[in-house]
Amino acid sequence: MAKTPVSSAVDDIVTEGEDLTHKLGRQADDIIASAKDGADRTVSSVRQAVREDVGHVRDKAVEHAEEAIDSIRDAPIKSVLYAAGIGVIIGLLLSR
């Protein structure tokens, strides 16, 4: 009985439709390799985006705080009555 040579490389075996699989695998490897190269840029851009978002949130918080201060200065008695009413409601809920 004659022995046929067996190839140890899996890539040597080609079946129908496998070309697309290999092509997708190579493209995935290329994407991963390029992602490793650009990882430092991505991290810095994410940090920059987070800093910008924190800045926007800080600006909005300051804006809302200033509006609240202006509202309290415009109607201090009304503000104190609302605060007392909310305090009473919270007290009743917590006492249960």
Side-chain angles (χ1 to χ4, degrees):
M1 195 186 235
K3 291 187 176 181
T4 58
V6 177
S7 174
S8 62
V10 178
D11 292 336
D12 293 342
I13 304 171
V14 178
T15 59
E16 184 177 329
E18 194 169 272
D19 292 340
L20 181 59
T21 303
H22 285 294
K23 183 178 178 182
L24 289 174
R26 283 191 301 274
Q27 288 176 348
D29 291 339
D30 292 341
I31 290 170
I32 291 170
S34 67
K36 287 179 183 177
D37 294 339
D40 292 334
R41 286 181 290 158
T42 303
V43 169
S44 64
S45 66
V46 168
R47 286 181 182 161
Q48 182 63 29
V50 168
R51 285 184 182 139
E52 289 174 3
D53 289 344
V54 167
H56 291 304
V57 169
R58 184 180 301 126
D59 293 342
K60 286 291 185 181
V62 168
E63 181 180 322
H64 287 296
E66 289 172 354
E67 289 175 6
I69 290 170
D70 290 340
S71 297
I72 292 169
R73 284 188 182 146
D74 290 342
I77 296 173
K78 184 178 178 181
S79 300
V80 169
L81 291 176
Y82 278 135
I86 292 171
V88 169
I89 291 171
I90 291 174
L92 290 174
L93 291 174
L94 291 176
S95 67
R96 289 185 177 192

